[in-house]
Amino acid sequence: MVVEIVCVGTEILMGNIVNTNAAYLAEKCAGLGLSCYYQSVVGDNHDRLCEIIKTAASRSDIVILSGGLGPTQDDLTKETAAEVFDKKLYMHEEAKEAICAYMTKRGLTITENNWKQAMVPEDCIVVMNANGTAPGIIMEKDGKHIILLPGPPGELIPMFENDILPYLKKMAPDVLHSVMVKICGVGESIVEDQIKDMIDAQTNPTIATYAKTGEVHLRVTAKAENEKEAEKLVKPVVKEIKKRFGDTVYTTDENTSLEAAIINMLSKHKLTVSAAESCTGGLLSARLINVPGASDVYQAGFVTYANKAKHKLIGVKKETLYKYGAVSKETAKEMVKGALKASGADIAVAVTGIAGPGGGTKEKPVGLVYIACGRKHKITVKKFQFSGNRAKIRESSVANALIMLREVIMQNRID
């Protein structure tokens, strides 16, 4: 079956907000085996919205619209979709009660236009919204399905996961089963070269490649009549990928991030970690601390942006800073030693570099970063030359610091 995604909102067209809903919905629909050939963004305009809904319904079996279900006059999605499907609106008492309860619980004032959200098309399926006031709506007519979802991701995602996904699964012709193989520290071109024969020969399952900063993800997807058969098709392909990439595969769980895998490894091997950061300014620590359970293994973080802080907080020698500079392998190594001593952690990781846009020289250009990681008896330092803007350089620094930390944990897991 063919699905089409339409995101409604002038604020999306104007670039005021990033359209994350389209990416989320497209990925979920692809996982169901639904084909998506078109995506559209339309402003809060009745005539243009009416036209895009008619066009989408003429060429797709399922049309999913997000946004435009609010209480104001420019929220037109529901009214326009009902008009296209020739359905009248009526007051849905359960939705009205839910809106009242939601507003009252939060001490918000209920105004007359709030009841606009409780008006729904006749003969529709009403999907209650546990995270907001606008209910979702499913309309069916002449073999076409139109699904209306609220725009805020905090409302759309749980509604889709809990109610829309089961509805769509009933229409999916086959069962799809996917496994995401996540690889770190290997470039996309190298990954593709090492599995080129598998991609060239693929039929079912298929392998899709996704490049991330410092990582490459491979989604292996099989289609079958049932989940068990699909799993059987995926299993040998995943096994072969893991065989080819060895320890660079850090998980086959789509919901596990690199930092989560690292926290799990530290916990498993009863190791603790600390971080000393300069150009990343706490981003590395933030990614680690964001993982549940980090408090059991994460000892301390030192944001030592200035040279004085490097010397005072983690004991980098003044002579080292003067002779080699803050951005040097010598300083990075001493940052690790200092973090180990100050925190008592088993392992420390340090980052120092020039994120730009200023501060670079011919000898030390913008994007030069040194990352050090290790234990007292062995500290490894690597030099990197990243490109891009300030944010990209810092992001690349954090990603590679995590990769180095994982490598050190693997080296020390039997110590």
Side-chain angles (χ1 to χ4, degrees), residues 197-409:
D197 60 316
M198 298 175 72
I199 293 175
D200 289 343
Q202 68 182 359
T203 51
N204 184 28
T206 59
I207 304 172
T209 307
Y210 304 89
K212 310 286 183 180
T213 302
E215 303 180 36
V216 178
H217 297 178
L218 301 176
R219 182 184 291 279
V220 183
T221 305
K223 182 184 292 187
E225 292 183 358
N226 55 65
E227 185 78 13
K228 188 176 181 180
E229 288 301 314
E231 287 180 6
K232 284 175 64 177
L233 291 170
V234 165
K235 192 173 181 179
V237 177
V238 171
K239 184 178 180 181
E240 179 61 24
I241 292 172
K242 291 172 73 175
K243 178 182 175 182
R244 296 188 185 195
F245 292 99
D247 281 341
T248 61
V249 175
Y250 71 84
T251 188
T252 55
D253 180 356
E254 187 166 4
N255 297 315
T256 298
S257 63
L258 178 56
E259 55 267 33
I262 288 170
I263 293 297
N264 291 337
M265 289 175 68
L266 288 166
S267 179
K268 179 181 178 181
H269 300 296
K270 295 180 172 55
L271 296 169
T272 56
V273 67
S274 289
E277 303 179 61
S278 185
C279 65
T280 49
L283 289 179
L284 172 58
S285 293
R287 280 188 62 172
L288 290 168
I289 292 170
N290 196 45
V291 180
S295 58
D296 295 331
V297 297
Y298 183 88
Q299 293 291 87
F302 305 91
V303 179
T304 55
Y305 206 72
N307 283 356
K308 286 183 179 179
K310 290 180 177 68
H311 173 66
K312 185 176 180 180
L313 297 178
I314 51 175
V316 177
K317 297 173 185 175
K318 290 182 180 180
E319 294 82 1
T320 301
L321 292 166
Y322 178 78
K323 184 176 181 179
Y324 301 105
V327 181
S328 63
K329 64 179 182 180
E330 291 81 6
T331 295
K333 189 172 184 178
E334 287 193 23
M335 287 172 71
V336 168
K337 289 180 178 179
L340 288 169
K341 184 177 180 180
S343 67
D346 298 306
I347 299 170
V349 56
V351 186
T352 182
I354 306 169
T361 64
K362 185 177 180 180
E363 293 75 21
K364 295 184 178 182
V366 170
L368 174 64
V369 177
Y370 288 94
I371 303 174
C373 188
R375 304 180 78 165
K376 291 179 181 179
H377 61 278
K378 184 178 181 182
I379 298 173
T380 301
V381 184
K382 291 185 180 181
K383 176 183 176 182
F384 297 88
Q385 183 61 57
F386 299 122
S387 59
N389 60 21
R390 183 178 179 86
K392 182 63 178 176
I393 290 169
R394 296 174 77 214
E395 180 188 359
S396 298
S397 299
V398 170
N400 282 276
L402 289 171
I403 292 167
M404 283 186 66
L405 175 56
R406 181 175 178 270
E407 290 172 351
V408 169
I409 296 168

Side-chain angles (χ1 to χ4, degrees), residues 82-97:
E83 179 184 324
V84 171
F85 269 51
D86 194 26
K87 291 180 180 289
K88 295 180 180 180
L89 299 176
Y90 74 97
M91 180 65 71
H92 190 273
E93 292 301 325
E94 186 181 352
K96 184 177 181 180
E97 291 173 8

Side-chain angles (χ1 to χ4, degrees), residues 90-145:
Y90 74 97
M91 180 65 71
H92 190 273
E93 292 301 325
E94 186 181 352
K96 184 177 181 180
E97 291 173 8
I99 292 170
C100 183
Y102 182 91
M103 301 287 282
T104 302
K105 184 178 180 180
R106 288 158 180 78
L108 302 173
T109 301
I110 301 174
T111 56
E112 192 61 33
N113 61 358
N114 283 123
W115 306 133
K116 175 178 179 290
Q117 294 179 292
M119 298 292 290
V120 302
E122 59 187 359
D123 302 321
C124 74
I125 300 171
V126 179
V127 182
M128 303 309 293
N129 187 348
N131 301 281
T133 53
I137 291 165
I138 301 173
M139 289 186 283
E140 302 171 342
K141 186 177 180 180
D142 300 329
K144 301 291 183 177
H145 308 262

Side-chain angles (χ1 to χ4, degrees), residues 140-167:
E140 302 171 342
K141 186 177 180 180
D142 300 329
K144 301 291 183 177
H145 308 262
I146 187 163
I147 300 171
L148 312 182
L149 299 171
E155 299 177 32
L156 179 145
I157 292 173
M159 184 180 290
F160 190 91
E161 297 282 349
N162 296 329
D163 300 286
I164 306 305
L165 204 55
Y167 174 81

